[in-house]
Structure formats: structure tokens, C-alpha cells
Amino acid sequence: MSDTEAVSLTGLHKRFGANEVLKGVSLRAHTGEVIAVIGASGSGKSTLLRCIPLLEIPEAGEIAIGGETIRMRAAGKGRVPADAAQVNRLRSNLGFVFQSFNLWAHMTVLQNVIEAPVHVQGRPKAEAIAEAEALLEKVGMADKRDAYPAHLSGGQQQRAAIARALAMRPRALLFDEPTSALDPELVSEVLRVIRALAAEGRTMLIVTHEMAFAADVASRAIFLHDGRIEEEGPPAQVFSDPQTERCRQFVMRHLNR
Amino acid sequence: MDFDAYFQLIGFGPKGWGALLLQAAAMTLAVSASAFAASLVFGTLGAWAKLSGVRAAAVASETYTTVLRGIPDLLVIYLFYFGGSSVMTAIGHMMGHEGFLGLNGFTVGTLAVGVVAGAYQTEALRGAFLSIPKGELEAARAVGMGRLLMLRRIIAPRTLRFALPSMGNVWQQVLKESALVSVTGLAELMRQMHVAAGSTRMPFDFYITGFLIYLALTTLSGFGFRAAEVHTMRPERRS
Amino acid sequence: MDTVFLAETMGKLLAGLPLTIELAIISISAGAVLATILALFRATSPIAEAIVRGYVFTLRGTPLLLQIFLIYYGLGQFAEVRHSILWPFLRQPYWCAILALTINTSAYGSEIIRGGLQSVPAGAIEAGRAAGMSRLLLTRRIVLPIAIRQALPAYGNEMIAMVKATSLASIVTLMEVSGIAYAIISETYRAIEVFLCAGAIYLTLNFLLTRGLAVLERWLNPHLVQSRT
């Protein structure tokens, strides 16, 4: 157990009905690392990311956040968290950015950003607002702080959602295909924000289809195939000189598009 | 129709029924509001039972909504009025009280109209809960919200907003159904109209007055609900 | 539980069933005809629309019980009514109840049918016109059949509401199921047992109505029934 281990996954198995999506995945993300997770759709990469804050509950394997293992217990055919309070505490140490933004529609941008700091982490409201304003400034959304999500473009919603994730002062940021739901002309504004965060030295796991972006921003790339890690290494190697045939084909198909 | 005589009859003069009618209208509003509040309680329980994933609870709630939407409200009022009285009397006997104990009309109206409207409220709330985008609930879990916090901060406000239009319909229904509570003798509008009509032998004058008062109540409260809808749905609407 | 009393009560209540069914069938049918006429009339001119809107607005904004009382007790206040040829009908609670129920359901029904009419695709009407159909023929052969199919599910709910509403006829002395139920309760004070029996009768009635409508819907929409392959 080390202080520099932000997220540690060991031997994760996850199935949906008869379909085994994760077949034993282990992964360590050290503080400051930017890990790009790539793979074809159905390879299990989103499921892997969603297992980290237990949005999906793996049937087997261990998840640790900042060195603290999430305790599970058997229930019926599967497992459930043994301590809901622990899960909620560890979740509030992570920032999750969804493909479809998932902003709370009845709250303004600012209210979305301060919601968890104030109500989950119990921080003073004035402090949360001051920090939220700085974060909105950083993602270029300061002028939209009082707008409701329905009045924003997809790119603006996603940048607000990133500010919401940052407001938790997370140990790690998890991005689940953050640009897949965006119109092409809105992708770059979101990628720019993520790139700036990487440059700050934040710990990030990014599931993405944007190969060029992944190659550029990541410190490590992971290629997932059929529920297993097929190839792993520095982006220069995974994207330019893949060791496995499957990874080579995948990268060829996606880089030349 | 002799309008001078009519306005004397329903006016506030010495021979006018105005003050009584006004009181009765207030009673109609009070029993309706009370029944509506009860329907929210029944509806919340019903919706929660249907969504809980517990099979027995879902079956019980399904039975509740099917039965109460399939039988006349009048029968439900009789059940609470007469049945409630026999239950109360029995309890009274057990506690050493001799004689007959009754549920008053207001309580009967609140419970009976409330339990019927609760069946419709159940569907309204269930539908509203199901229309919350799943992602918003997932986002709440991802930031570490516990069940209660999520209920208070995300689920309750979102459900209320989505349910508001149907709740407006339920309110209108409750306001109209409250007229049936007159069979218990509660001095609400319908009952007071009937008494006035009988004692003056001017039934048309009074019933048409009642007609207009109900119309005013349903219309005005309709505006109220519409305004609330516009206000709360503002964040949802695209400009 | 006292099964003898239950059986006895059931027997007495069932004697009121024919009247309940009669009230329901007459007012639902007459109401549907009136509703269709209102919905079609509404589309003819702005004045017609204003009239129908006012009609729907006042009837949906007031309690049915009050509408029954207004007709049954209220109209008799006027000598002109008492001396008119309609008086033999208007003095009878039976006809007053049917009149009030019919008028009431026609208001709700016309809104449902209006919704159905609005859902008729413009293309279907155009195609009829192109085939040389007259307005009347178009309405009868194309517009109404499509509108009624669309409106049927919502109209089913209105029919169930009407079956329940027939119980109000008991307040103007008609001895249908609810009227008999009231009489037995006030005689025996056994409200729960009587409620169970009467409730079972109405539930059965509405269940049969729902099933009947489902069959009708399938029969009217053979194109929506999945063919077995």
C-alpha cells in the first residue's frame, strides 16, 4: 500500500447476465498519472471505469481508493458494499465525468458545482461558492454560472460537469467518453479543458475514442479487449508500435479515420 | 328571473345567505386542501411501494390503485362514514366508553377523498419519478450522496416538478369530489346549497350560485397551478 | 366473517345491477354521440369553438352532483318548466340522472375526441380529397374512424368514470347498486361487509368493461396486432 496509489484495481470480474464484460482486470493509477483507456465498443472499458466508484458492482476483485480498500460482503448471488458510508466517503474523493454530462436540471451551473461540496462534504457554503467560481473561470464557464443546464450547449454542459467533478477536490478524475455525446465542433473546447488539467499534474483515467488526444495527453495507455487488458505501456509504444496484432489493427483503424 | 330578489337572497343583508355561503365555500376549500394533503401521503407511500422492488409492497400498492380507481367514491365515503363510526364505537367500548362514537364529516372527507385521490397521486408520482433522467441519479451516487440526501436534494425536487401537472388535475378532482362529502352533513358548499334551497324553495337560484362558486374555485386554483408549473419548469425549458 | 349476511347482501345488491348498467349504457352511448357532434361542431367556426369551449369549461369545472341537483331540483323552480311538455320527464329522477350524466360525459368526451381528430394525419385527409370524397363522406369514412381509434384508450377511462358516476343517481333516490348499499348500511350499520360486496360488483363491471374495450381495440386495429410468423 502506497500513498502514491490513487486508484488500485485487482482482478475485477463483472458480468451482465450471461455476458462477462470484465474477465479479471488489474490496474494501478499512481498520483499524477494520466491513463488513457482505449478499446472497441463492448471491450468493457466503460464498465471498468464505472466500477471504480461502484456505479457497477464487480462480482469479484478489489477496489482501493488512496490505499483504502472498499469492503464488500456477499448478498444473494452477488456482492454489495459492506459499509455504505465508506462507499459514499470514497466516492466523494473521486470526480466522475459522464458521457451525457448528467447535470442536475433543476439547479443552475453554480448550484450543480457546490451541491456535493456543501451537502456531501459539509464544507461552508461561502467557501464552496468562492472555489466554484474559480473552477468555472478555469473551464471558461464563469459567465454561465447562473444558467440552467437546458440553456447550455453540450460542450458548455460538459465543461460545467468537469467543474462539478473538480469541486470535490478529488484524488482522481474519471472521464467516461467525455466527448462522445458532443457535436464535432464542440469536442475541442472540452478536450482543451481536459488537456489543461493533465498539464496541472492531476491524476486522471480517461476512457476515450479520441486516439490523437489520448496519445498526446496520456502518460500511459491501456488497450482493453474482450474484458482483458491486451496491451499496456507508454502511448508512444501503444499507438505507434503496438506489440499485439489486435491492438495494431485497432489503432490502425482509428488513427487513420 | 328577478335579479333584485336573487341578490337579496344570496347577498349579505338580513335575509341573505351570503355569509353562510362564504363560510361553506371556505369549508369546501379546507376539506379539499386537507384531503389533497392526505392524498399526497397516500400517493407517496403508494408510489414508493410500487418502486421499492419489494414484491409484496408492489402488489399491495397495485391492488390499492386498481380498487380505488374502480369503485365509486361515494361508496368509499360511506365506508369511512359508517364503517369508521362502528370501528370508533368498538374502540370506545373497549376503553370503557358506552354509546355511539362517530367520525366527523371533516375527518371522513379528508380520509375518503384523500385515499381515492391518493390512488391517482400514486400514478402521478410514480410516473414523475420514472421520468427523472437516470444519469442525474447516477451523478448523485457518483458524488457520494447517501439515500436520504439524494432523496432530499435530487429525487424530491425533480419528482415534484414532473408531477406538478398531474397534481393539478388531482386537485381539481378533489375539489369536485368534496361535494360528495355533503352526504355526511358537513356544512360545505354542496350541503349548504341544499339546505338553503330547501328552506327558501328557490333551488335553482342556489344551485346556480353554487355552480358559479365551484367554477370560480376550480378556475382560480387552475391558474394557481399553471403559474406554479411555469415557475418551476423554467429551468427545464429551452429559451 | 358472516357469510350468510354477505350472500344475502350480495343478492340484494345484484337486484340493483340492471339499473346501474342501464344508466351507464344509456348515458355513455348518448354522451358519446353528443361528444362527437360537439367535437365536429367545434371545428366549424370560431363562434362554434367558443360555444363548445364554454360548455366544456363549465361542465368540467363543477361537481357532477351539483349538475344533477341543478337539473332535478333546480329546474322545477320555474313554472314554465313545470308546465312544459318536458315536465313528465324532468320530474323523474331517472331521466334527470340520465340527462346530467350524459351532459357531463359529453363534455369530457368531446375533448378526448377532439384530441383524436387532431391526430388524424393531414395526408390521410388529402388522399381522401384527391380521391374525390365529399366532406361528409371524408368525415364518415376516413376522419372519424382514425380519430375514434386514437381516442379509444382515453375514452375507456371516461367510460369507467361514468360507471362509477352512476352511483350519484342514488342521491336523487334511484335504487341502483349504491342506493341499495346505502339502504342496507343505514339499516344494519355493517358498512364494511356491504362495501366489500358493492365494491366487488363495481370492480367486476369495470374489469369486464376494460376487457371488452381491449377486444374492441384489437378488432379495430388489426394492423397493430403482431402477426405470428
mmCIF file with all atom_site columns, all heavy atoms in Angstrom, chain B residues 142-157:
data_model
loop_
_atom_site.group_PDB
_atom_site.id
_atom_site.type_symbol
_atom_site.label_atom_id
_atom_site.label_alt_id
_atom_site.label_comp_id
_atom_site.label_asym_id
_atom_site.label_entity_id
_atom_site.label_seq_id
_atom_site.pdbx_PDB_ins_code
_atom_site.Cartn_x
_atom_site.Cartn_y
_atom_site.Cartn_z
_atom_site.occupancy
_atom_site.B_iso_or_equiv
_atom_site.pdbx_formal_charge
_atom_site.auth_seq_id
_atom_site.auth_comp_id
_atom_site.auth_asym_id
_atom_site.auth_atom_id
_atom_site.pdbx_PDB_model_num
ATOM 1   N N   . ALA B 1 142 ? -22.500 9.132  -7.760 1.00 0.00 ? 142 ALA B N   1
ATOM 2   C CA  . ALA B 1 142 ? -21.064 9.242  -8.020 1.00 0.00 ? 142 ALA B CA  1
ATOM 3   C C   . ALA B 1 142 ? -20.395 10.279 -7.115 1.00 0.00 ? 142 ALA B C   1
ATOM 4   O O   . ALA B 1 142 ? -19.220 10.154 -6.811 1.00 0.00 ? 142 ALA B O   1
ATOM 5   C CB  . ALA B 1 142 ? -20.826 9.593  -9.490 1.00 0.00 ? 142 ALA B CB  1
ATOM 6   N N   . VAL B 1 143 ? -21.137 11.308 -6.692 1.00 0.00 ? 143 VAL B N   1
ATOM 7   C CA  . VAL B 1 143 ? -20.504 12.289 -5.806 1.00 0.00 ? 143 VAL B CA  1
ATOM 8   C C   . VAL B 1 143 ? -20.602 11.855 -4.344 1.00 0.00 ? 143 VAL B C   1
ATOM 9   O O   . VAL B 1 143 ? -20.175 12.588 -3.456 1.00 0.00 ? 143 VAL B O   1
ATOM 10  C CB  . VAL B 1 143 ? -21.081 13.717 -5.949 1.00 0.00 ? 143 VAL B CB  1
ATOM 11  C CG1 . VAL B 1 143 ? -20.840 14.240 -7.341 1.00 0.00 ? 143 VAL B CG1 1
ATOM 12  C CG2 . VAL B 1 143 ? -22.556 13.764 -5.588 1.00 0.00 ? 143 VAL B CG2 1
ATOM 13  N N   . GLY B 1 144 ? -21.183 10.678 -4.107 1.00 0.00 ? 144 GLY B N   1
ATOM 14  C CA  . GLY B 1 144 ? -21.182 10.141 -2.754 1.00 0.00 ? 144 GLY B CA  1
ATOM 15  C C   . GLY B 1 144 ? -22.401 10.504 -1.923 1.00 0.00 ? 144 GLY B C   1
ATOM 16  O O   . GLY B 1 144 ? -22.357 10.470 -0.703 1.00 0.00 ? 144 GLY B O   1
ATOM 17  N N   . MET B 1 145 ? -23.508 10.862 -2.592 1.00 0.00 ? 145 MET B N   1
ATOM 18  C CA  . MET B 1 145 ? -24.714 11.161 -1.820 1.00 0.00 ? 145 MET B CA  1
ATOM 19  C C   . MET B 1 145 ? -25.297 9.873  -1.240 1.00 0.00 ? 145 MET B C   1
ATOM 20  O O   . MET B 1 145 ? -25.403 8.872  -1.926 1.00 0.00 ? 145 MET B O   1
ATOM 21  C CB  . MET B 1 145 ? -25.781 11.805 -2.714 1.00 0.00 ? 145 MET B CB  1
ATOM 22  C CG  . MET B 1 145 ? -25.502 13.239 -3.071 1.00 0.00 ? 145 MET B CG  1
ATOM 23  S SD  . MET B 1 145 ? -26.966 14.010 -3.764 1.00 0.00 ? 145 MET B SD  1
ATOM 24  C CE  . MET B 1 145 ? -26.286 15.585 -4.257 1.00 0.00 ? 145 MET B CE  1
ATOM 25  N N   . GLY B 1 146 ? -25.705 9.934  0.021  1.00 0.00 ? 146 GLY B N   1
ATOM 26  C CA  . GLY B 1 146 ? -26.427 8.818  0.622  1.00 0.00 ? 146 GLY B CA  1
ATOM 27  C C   . GLY B 1 146 ? -27.873 8.836  0.176  1.00 0.00 ? 146 GLY B C   1
ATOM 28  O O   . GLY B 1 146 ? -28.314 9.769  -0.485 1.00 0.00 ? 146 GLY B O   1
ATOM 29  N N   . ARG B 1 147 ? -28.611 7.801  0.542  1.00 0.00 ? 147 ARG B N   1
ATOM 30  C CA  . ARG B 1 147 ? -30.005 7.676  0.076  1.00 0.00 ? 147 ARG B CA  1
ATOM 31  C C   . ARG B 1 147 ? -30.862 8.866  0.491  1.00 0.00 ? 147 ARG B C   1
ATOM 32  O O   . ARG B 1 147 ? -31.610 9.413  -0.309 1.00 0.00 ? 147 ARG B O   1
ATOM 33  C CB  . ARG B 1 147 ? -30.628 6.395  0.645  1.00 0.00 ? 147 ARG B CB  1
ATOM 34  C CG  . ARG B 1 147 ? -30.124 5.144  -0.022 1.00 0.00 ? 147 ARG B CG  1
ATOM 35  C CD  . ARG B 1 147 ? -30.627 3.929  0.722  1.00 0.00 ? 147 ARG B CD  1
ATOM 36  N NE  . ARG B 1 147 ? -32.066 3.796  0.617  1.00 0.00 ? 147 ARG B NE  1
ATOM 37  C CZ  . ARG B 1 147 ? -32.655 2.853  -0.117 1.00 0.00 ? 147 ARG B CZ  1
ATOM 38  N NH1 . ARG B 1 147 ? -31.942 1.977  -0.770 1.00 0.00 ? 147 ARG B NH1 1
ATOM 39  N NH2 . ARG B 1 147 ? -33.958 2.782  -0.185 1.00 0.00 ? 147 ARG B NH2 1
ATOM 40  N N   . LEU B 1 148 ? -30.763 9.264  1.746  1.00 0.00 ? 148 LEU B N   1
ATOM 41  C CA  . LEU B 1 148 ? -31.623 10.341 2.242  1.00 0.00 ? 148 LEU B CA  1
ATOM 42  C C   . LEU B 1 148 ? -31.285 11.679 1.605  1.00 0.00 ? 148 LEU B C   1
ATOM 43  O O   . LEU B 1 148 ? -32.161 12.437 1.217  1.00 0.00 ? 148 LEU B O   1
ATOM 44  C CB  . LEU B 1 148 ? -31.498 10.446 3.769  1.00 0.00 ? 148 LEU B CB  1
ATOM 45  C CG  . LEU B 1 148 ? -32.450 9.543  4.555  1.00 0.00 ? 148 LEU B CG  1
ATOM 46  C CD1 . LEU B 1 148 ? -32.241 9.728  6.044  1.00 0.00 ? 148 LEU B CD1 1
ATOM 47  C CD2 . LEU B 1 148 ? -33.895 9.856  4.183  1.00 0.00 ? 148 LEU B CD2 1
ATOM 48  N N   . LEU B 1 149 ? -29.973 11.924 1.508  1.00 0.00 ? 149 LEU B N   1
ATOM 49  C CA  . LEU B 1 149 ? -29.531 13.179 0.913  1.00 0.00 ? 149 LEU B CA  1
ATOM 50  C C   . LEU B 1 149 ? -29.995 13.255 -0.537 1.00 0.00 ? 149 LEU B C   1
ATOM 51  O O   . LEU B 1 149 ? -30.486 14.276 -1.006 1.00 0.00 ? 149 LEU B O   1
ATOM 52  C CB  . LEU B 1 149 ? -28.007 13.275 1.000  1.00 0.00 ? 149 LEU B CB  1
ATOM 53  C CG  . LEU B 1 149 ? -27.398 14.599 0.532  1.00 0.00 ? 149 LEU B CG  1
ATOM 54  C CD1 . LEU B 1 149 ? -27.900 15.740 1.389  1.00 0.00 ? 149 LEU B CD1 1
ATOM 55  C CD2 . LEU B 1 149 ? -25.879 14.538 0.566  1.00 0.00 ? 149 LEU B CD2 1
ATOM 56  N N   . MET B 1 150 ? -29.861 12.131 -1.257 1.00 0.00 ? 150 MET B N   1
ATOM 57  C CA  . MET B 1 150 ? -30.259 12.084 -2.650 1.00 0.00 ? 150 MET B CA  1
ATOM 58  C C   . MET B 1 150 ? -31.764 12.295 -2.774 1.00 0.00 ? 150 MET B C   1
ATOM 59  O O   . MET B 1 150 ? -32.237 13.008 -3.652 1.00 0.00 ? 150 MET B O   1
ATOM 60  C CB  . MET B 1 150 ? -29.881 10.716 -3.212 1.00 0.00 ? 150 MET B CB  1
ATOM 61  C CG  . MET B 1 150 ? -30.002 10.621 -4.692 1.00 0.00 ? 150 MET B CG  1
ATOM 62  S SD  . MET B 1 150 ? -28.847 9.383  -5.285 1.00 0.00 ? 150 MET B SD  1
ATOM 63  C CE  . MET B 1 150 ? -29.928 8.127  -5.817 1.00 0.00 ? 150 MET B CE  1
ATOM 64  N N   . LEU B 1 151 ? -32.536 11.703 -1.844 1.00 0.00 ? 151 LEU B N   1
ATOM 65  C CA  . LEU B 1 151 ? -33.988 11.865 -1.846 1.00 0.00 ? 151 LEU B CA  1
ATOM 66  C C   . LEU B 1 151 ? -34.346 13.341 -1.673 1.00 0.00 ? 151 LEU B C   1
ATOM 67  O O   . LEU B 1 151 ? -35.186 13.890 -2.373 1.00 0.00 ? 151 LEU B O   1
ATOM 68  C CB  . LEU B 1 151 ? -34.588 11.032 -0.707 1.00 0.00 ? 151 LEU B CB  1
ATOM 69  C CG  . LEU B 1 151 ? -36.106 10.984 -0.657 1.00 0.00 ? 151 LEU B CG  1
ATOM 70  C CD1 . LEU B 1 151 ? -36.630 10.190 -1.841 1.00 0.00 ? 151 LEU B CD1 1
ATOM 71  C CD2 . LEU B 1 151 ? -36.585 10.366 0.635  1.00 0.00 ? 151 LEU B CD2 1
ATOM 72  N N   . ARG B 1 152 ? -33.649 13.990 -0.727 1.00 0.00 ? 152 ARG B N   1
ATOM 73  C CA  . ARG B 1 152 ? -33.986 15.358 -0.374 1.00 0.00 ? 152 ARG B CA  1
ATOM 74  C C   . ARG B 1 152 ? -33.534 16.347 -1.440 1.00 0.00 ? 152 ARG B C   1
ATOM 75  O O   . ARG B 1 152 ? -34.264 17.265 -1.787 1.00 0.00 ? 152 ARG B O   1
ATOM 76  C CB  . ARG B 1 152 ? -33.309 15.678 0.966  1.00 0.00 ? 152 ARG B CB  1
ATOM 77  C CG  . ARG B 1 152 ? -33.705 16.975 1.613  1.00 0.00 ? 152 ARG B CG  1
ATOM 78  C CD  . ARG B 1 152 ? -33.348 16.964 3.099  1.00 0.00 ? 152 ARG B CD  1
ATOM 79  N NE  . ARG B 1 152 ? -31.919 16.832 3.316  1.00 0.00 ? 152 ARG B NE  1
ATOM 80  C CZ  . ARG B 1 152 ? -31.044 17.845 3.212  1.00 0.00 ? 152 ARG B CZ  1
ATOM 81  N NH1 . ARG B 1 152 ? -31.461 19.048 2.883  1.00 0.00 ? 152 ARG B NH1 1
ATOM 82  N NH2 . ARG B 1 152 ? -29.760 17.648 3.431  1.00 0.00 ? 152 ARG B NH2 1
ATOM 83  N N   . ARG B 1 153 ? -32.316 16.150 -1.958 1.00 0.00 ? 153 ARG B N   1
ATOM 84  C CA  . ARG B 1 153 ? -31.741 17.172 -2.831 1.00 0.00 ? 153 ARG B CA  1
ATOM 85  C C   . ARG B 1 153 ? -32.071 16.962 -4.308 1.00 0.00 ? 153 ARG B C   1
ATOM 86  O O   . ARG B 1 153 ? -32.111 17.918 -5.066 1.00 0.00 ? 153 ARG B O   1
ATOM 87  C CB  . ARG B 1 153 ? -30.212 17.196 -2.663 1.00 0.00 ? 153 ARG B CB  1
ATOM 88  C CG  . ARG B 1 153 ? -29.737 17.536 -1.266 1.00 0.00 ? 153 ARG B CG  1
ATOM 89  C CD  . ARG B 1 153 ? -30.011 18.969 -0.905 1.00 0.00 ? 153 ARG B CD  1
ATOM 90  N NE  . ARG B 1 153 ? -29.474 19.886 -1.898 1.00 0.00 ? 153 ARG B NE  1
ATOM 91  C CZ  . ARG B 1 153 ? -29.736 21.187 -1.903 1.00 0.00 ? 153 ARG B CZ  1
ATOM 92  N NH1 . ARG B 1 153 ? -30.507 21.710 -0.987 1.00 0.00 ? 153 ARG B NH1 1
ATOM 93  N NH2 . ARG B 1 153 ? -29.225 21.959 -2.839 1.00 0.00 ? 153 ARG B NH2 1
ATOM 94  N N   . ILE B 1 154 ? -32.210 15.710 -4.729 1.00 0.00 ? 154 ILE B N   1
ATOM 95  C CA  . ILE B 1 154 ? -32.394 15.455 -6.157 1.00 0.00 ? 154 ILE B CA  1
ATOM 96  C C   . ILE B 1 154 ? -33.777 14.854 -6.439 1.00 0.00 ? 154 ILE B C   1
ATOM 97  O O   . ILE B 1 154 ? -34.560 15.407 -7.206 1.00 0.00 ? 154 ILE B O   1
ATOM 98  C CB  . ILE B 1 154 ? -31.305 14.492 -6.703 1.00 0.00 ? 154 ILE B CB  1
ATOM 99  C CG1 . ILE B 1 154 ? -29.904 14.955 -6.267 1.00 0.00 ? 154 ILE B CG1 1
ATOM 100 C CG2 . ILE B 1 154 ? -31.413 14.363 -8.214 1.00 0.00 ? 154 ILE B CG2 1
ATOM 101 C CD1 . ILE B 1 154 ? -29.408 16.209 -6.909 1.00 0.00 ? 154 ILE B CD1 1
ATOM 102 N N   . ILE B 1 155 ? -34.094 13.729 -5.810 1.00 0.00 ? 155 ILE B N   1
ATOM 103 C CA  . ILE B 1 155 ? -35.309 12.998 -6.184 1.00 0.00 ? 155 ILE B CA  1
ATOM 104 C C   . ILE B 1 155 ? -36.575 13.795 -5.863 1.00 0.00 ? 155 ILE B C   1
ATOM 105 O O   . ILE B 1 155 ? -37.440 13.964 -6.722 1.00 0.00 ? 155 ILE B O   1
ATOM 106 C CB  . ILE B 1 155 ? -35.339 11.621 -5.485 1.00 0.00 ? 155 ILE B CB  1
ATOM 107 C CG1 . ILE B 1 155 ? -34.186 10.770 -6.014 1.00 0.00 ? 155 ILE B CG1 1
ATOM 108 C CG2 . ILE B 1 155 ? -36.669 10.917 -5.740 1.00 0.00 ? 155 ILE B CG2 1
ATOM 109 C CD1 . ILE B 1 155 ? -34.047 9.436  -5.335 1.00 0.00 ? 155 ILE B CD1 1
ATOM 110 N N   . ALA B 1 156 ? -36.678 14.315 -4.632 1.00 0.00 ? 156 ALA B N   1
ATOM 111 C CA  . ALA B 1 156 ? -37.911 15.017 -4.268 1.00 0.00 ? 156 ALA B CA  1
ATOM 112 C C   . ALA B 1 156 ? -38.170 16.243 -5.154 1.00 0.00 ? 156 ALA B C   1
ATOM 113 O O   . ALA B 1 156 ? -39.252 16.363 -5.726 1.00 0.00 ? 156 ALA B O   1
ATOM 114 C CB  . ALA B 1 156 ? -37.897 15.391 -2.788 1.00 0.00 ? 156 ALA B CB  1
ATOM 115 N N   . PRO B 1 157 ? -37.184 17.142 -5.300 1.00 0.00 ? 157 PRO B N   1
ATOM 116 C CA  . PRO B 1 157 ? -37.487 18.313 -6.135 1.00 0.00 ? 157 PRO B CA  1
ATOM 117 C C   . PRO B 1 157 ? -37.783 17.957 -7.592 1.00 0.00 ? 157 PRO B C   1
ATOM 118 O O   . PRO B 1 157 ? -38.670 18.550 -8.199 1.00 0.00 ? 157 PRO B O   1
ATOM 119 C CB  . PRO B 1 157 ? -36.225 19.180 -6.028 1.00 0.00 ? 157 PRO B CB  1
ATOM 120 C CG  . PRO B 1 157 ? -35.193 18.363 -5.363 1.00 0.00 ? 157 PRO B CG  1
ATOM 121 C CD  . PRO B 1 157 ? -35.881 17.265 -4.637 1.00 0.00 ? 157 PRO B CD  1
#
